Amino acid sequence: SADDIRFLLDEAEQWIEFNRRPRKQDGRLVGLTQINAFFENSTRTLVSFELAGKRLGAQVVNFSAATSSVKKGESLKDTALTLNAMRPDVLVIRHDANGAALQVAELMDCPVINAGDGSGEHPTQALLDVLTIRRRFGRIEGLKVAICGDIRHSRVAGSNMRSLPLLGAEVRLIGPPSLLPDLAPDGIGLFEDFDEGIAGADVVMMLRIQHERMEAGLSGTLGDYFGRYGLSRARLDRAAPGAVVMHPGPMNRGVEIDGELADDPERSAILEQVEMGVALRIACLDVVTRPARGG
Ligand code: ASP
């Protein structure tokens, strides 16, 4: 709910200064075990969840599917039951199947955090995105947010198109027809023309093409992608003055975004998103483990 989101954003705000200190140590998760089970590659999400747990004092174990018995044919269910038998206090999971986190949560005795499930949801990314936007503008309500790229396969778009309208933002989805959803949720505009969709936007969120989730052959039909859907300075001029550029990463410079624009700290909040990700994930770990800590 909007109140749950605001609560987590307020909790995350309290960790931003903490993360900027030379020594970042808080003991509230000492003695607790956090397992990060990643069945898909990750840089930002995995490292920030690991740092978040360690900064709170948890014992953090990273489980990577590439080097596990998943490679020997073990199912998601058996992997979850095995991890559960080791009595972790929190599990963070990323998986390529939609609904995997929910399926695993039903088998585990501890809280489970979804770190991305297929093309479904990526809730902590959407939360760190709204935190970044709220800090830049001081509000979410009334802002126009244009999300451009491979909306159909993006879990980041999936979670943002739910959270932003809850907080009162107007969301527009932009992309080639083959990468847009068939139906837009109520109140959300679909645009094939980037120049039209970006007009007057306060935030422009760029997404990478999710080749790994595409039907064979679709990538080859996208033509001059940068020309039609790449974010350049000229295109950004059509957005609202001072519009902020975001990207969840990993970005492909020259494909969906101009590299020099991505590096401009006046316009780009991309590294701020990464910084907010650590604070937000500390807040999530703190909040979900409160019952186990008797809080
Ligand atoms: N890192 C984000 C995700 O895991 C975005 C992406 O991969 O394009 O969904």
Side-chain angles (χ1 to χ4, degrees):
S1 70
D3 282 345
D4 291 337
I5 296 175
R6 284 193 206 100
F7 168 71
L8 282 169
L9 299 188
D10 293 344
E11 290 285 324
E13 289 277 358
Q14 300 168 27
W15 294 103
I16 297 169
E17 276 315 307
F18 166 87
N19 280 329
R20 291 177 180 165
R21 292 182 202 153
R23 288 178 192 274
K24 311 152 189 50
Q25 196 58 66
D26 177 283
R28 68 188 68 193
L29 263 58
V30 166
L32 299 193
T33 307
Q34 170 188 338
I35 300 182
N36 298 326
F38 277 60
F39 296 77
E40 258 193 10
N41 294 347
S42 176
T43 300
R44 282 150 287 268
T45 308
L46 176 58
V47 175
S48 58
F49 266 118
E50 181 171 359
L51 285 178
K54 286 183 170 164
R55 287 178 186 176
L56 295 183
Q59 289 170 353
V60 184
V61 177
N62 289 330
F63 162 90
S64 150
T67 52
S68 73
S69 288
V70 171
K71 285 278 170 226
K72 301 181 190 168
E74 192 160 46
S75 68
L76 178 60
K77 178 179 173 181
D78 287 324
T79 306
L81 292 173
T82 300
L83 296 177
N84 192 51
M86 297 179 194
R87 299 189 174 274
D89 300 288
V90 57
L91 178 82
V92 179
I93 180 167
R94 166 169 289 189
H95 198 277
D96 61 5
N98 293 29
L102 188 60
Q103 188 193 333
V104 164
E106 280 159 5
L107 299 166
M108 305 286 297
D109 296 315
C110 67
V112 172
I113 299 179
N114 183 0
D117 63 325
S119 57
E121 297 269 0
H122 195 347
T124 58
Q125 177 70 46
L127 288 166
L128 74 88
D129 289 339
V130 285
L131 178 62
T132 306
I133 298 171
R134 195 176 77 166
R135 285 174 63 82
R136 282 265 176 153
F137 291 90
R139 67 191 162 97
I140 304 288
E141 198 164 5
L143 294 179
K144 296 180 178 60
V145 182
I147 309 181
C148 178
D150 184 359
I151 312 288
R152 185 185 285 266
H153 303 100
S154 168
R155 54 197 176 203
V156 176
S159 289
N160 268 304
M161 71 172 95
R162 271 182 269 285
S163 59
L164 285 163
L166 270 181
L167 301 174
E170 176 197 318
V171 174
R172 303 164 186 179
L173 306 175
I174 307 165
S178 56
L179 301 184
L180 283 176
D182 294 328
L183 278 180
D186 269 358
I188 294 187
L190 294 186
F191 294 84
E192 281 173 38
D193 183 334
F194 196 174
D195 292 328
E196 208 186 305
I198 198 176
D202 301 290
V203 176
V204 185
M205 193 181 287
M206 300 305 298
L207 300 173
R208 132 189 113 84
I209 302 173
Q210 309 263 309
H211 294 285
E212 72 273 34
R213 296 187 218 289
M214 272 183 185
E215 310 83 272
L218 182 55
S219 313
T221 65
L222 296 173
D224 171 20
Y225 190 82
F226 187 80
R228 292 171 64 213
Y229 296 104
L231 186 64
S232 59
R233 281 202 190 265
R235 208 156 240 155
L236 188 60
D237 283 344
R238 302 180 64 88
V244 171
V245 176
M246 298 176 70
H247 195 308
M251 67 179 150
N252 293 299
R253 293 168 184 260
V255 178
E256 72 271 9
I257 189 164
D258 173 72
E260 183 260 332
L261 178 58
D263 291 334
D264 175 358
E266 292 280 307
R267 308 310 301 271
S268 163
I270 296 172
L271 294 178
E272 217 170 300
Q273 289 172 268
V274 177
E275 185 185 7
M276 292 308 121
V278 183
L280 188 276
R281 288 173 177 128
I282 289 181
C284 290
L285 290 170
D286 174 29
V287 169
V288 302
T289 57
R290 277 181 196 168
R293 284 156 36 215

